[in-house]
Amino acid sequence: MSDIEVELPDGSRRSLPEGASALDLASAIGKRLAKDALAAQVNGQLTDLTAPFARRRERRHRHPGERARSRGHSSLERARARPGRHSTLARAHYAIGPAITDGFYYDFELPGGAHFSDDDLVRIDAEMRAIIAEDQPFTRSEYSIDEGLALFEDQPFKQAIINAVAHAPSDEDLAEVDSTSSVSTYSNSPAFTDLCRGPHVPSTATPRTLQADPRRRRVLARG
């Protein structure tokens, strides 16, 4: 099996075995880099650390501004990971959840037009901390458009995004799904899968700081 040649930002090159990932590369460079890395940029595209390199010369960059984006995507999954433990979230419709400058937000449509209460936020915050402590790995999967629609048959906002991406995507839609022929999802437990383009940090334990913000509890879903 032939090696893959990887070109680093300083122009140096490394040879890695077929199927190697950015995490393998970081580990080969140093333990500290492997521990601190959150995501990779390959040929200008952000990817998960565990995604295998494709068979072509790859250039791996580290961009400090992109660290917040991968942390934000991953924090969203922790906030939504086990809705079954919270009756309000279990019956909610999920919309979009972009990372923003000072954190992230996620839009929900609750049953009967309800809003999150302060007590809800306390319970959600406690659940997120439990998920962080469990150090659950993030798993990426890819599906066709039809498979994605079937997977999210009970989530109308997700279906609207997938249908829009397949026909006439807006920039907002492409922020959630970066392909017009397939969709990607992330899961960190069997109980929850969400539509997301990624990338994500390797597990729910990174980073460990996270808090539900009561100032944003009344944000509405997609206008």
Side-chain angles (χ1 to χ4, degrees), residues 32-98:
R32 181 61 184 268
L33 177 60
K35 180 180 178 180
D36 291 346
L38 298 178
Q41 191 175 65
V42 181
N43 291 334
Q45 299 295 317
L46 283 174
T47 69
D48 297 323
L49 283 175
T50 55
F53 287 123
R55 175 144 293 286
R56 62 180 184 275
R57 180 184 298 172
E58 305 286 359
R59 183 182 296 271
R60 181 182 183 280
H61 302 271
R62 298 180 65 208
H63 194 291
E66 301 294 356
R67 293 170 66 89
R69 178 179 168 186
S70 62
R71 285 196 299 260
H73 277 289
S74 306
S75 296
L76 291 169
E77 305 303 332
R78 296 188 301 200
R80 306 169 302 203
R82 285 184 293 201
R85 293 194 181 186
H86 192 284
S87 60
T88 303
L89 284 179
R91 295 176 287 120
H93 289 150
Y94 299 73
I96 60 172

Side-chain angles (χ1 to χ4, degrees), residues 11-29:
S12 64
R13 297 178 182 179
R14 293 260 182 161
S15 291
L16 297 169
E18 183 84 23
S21 66
L23 183 58
D24 295 322
L25 174 60
S27 298
I29 294 173

